[in-house]
Amino acid sequence: MPIKKASLKDVRKTKTRTAYNTEHTAKTKLALDMARKSGYAPEKVVDAVKQLDKLAQKGIVHKNTAARKKSRLMKKANAAKVATKATAS
């Protein structure tokens, strides 16, 4: 355990920030999973993209990480859309 007051405060801040970050990353992972399981339904994909943008804006993940995940998600969503149109025709 830390001894100095500043170190004790730092431990409290770290615990709070970790909880906040964990909660938001879990929400984003859930949104990505729901988009995947729904067959890349447009409303689920939009929700996942919003979550990723919020994470990047708040600094929880790096902006390039969010951009990479969005790019991969959109690539799969567009492929699913094309496949759906091809089977419908």
Side-chain angles (χ1 to χ4, degrees):
M1 278 302 295
I3 296 169
K4 294 185 177 182
K5 279 187 178 181
S7 298
L8 288 169
K9 182 180 179 182
D10 198 39
V11 168
R12 288 195 309 268
K13 283 169 34 180
T14 301
K15 193 180 293 186
T16 305
R17 289 174 180 169
T18 301
Y20 181 85
N21 292 347
T22 304
E23 177 186 344
H24 283 73
T25 52
K27 276 186 188 178
T28 304
K29 285 180 183 177
L30 180 66
L32 288 168
D33 197 39
M34 293 302 289
R36 216 173 286 120
K37 287 183 178 177
S38 70
Y40 299 99
E43 62 276 355
K44 299 290 184 183
V45 171
V46 168
D47 185 43
V49 169
K50 277 184 185 178
Q51 290 289 335
L52 285 167
D53 284 336
K54 283 181 186 177
L55 282 186
Q57 184 181 17
K58 292 177 184 294
I60 297 172
V61 296
H62 195 272
K63 64 177 185 170
N64 290 354
T65 302
R68 183 182 67 242
K69 288 179 183 274
K70 286 187 333 187
S71 175
R72 289 177 181 172
L73 177 66
M74 293 310 297
K75 186 189 285 187
K76 290 176 183 174
N78 289 335
K81 192 187 307 182
V82 169
T84 306
K85 284 184 180 179
T87 54
S89 297

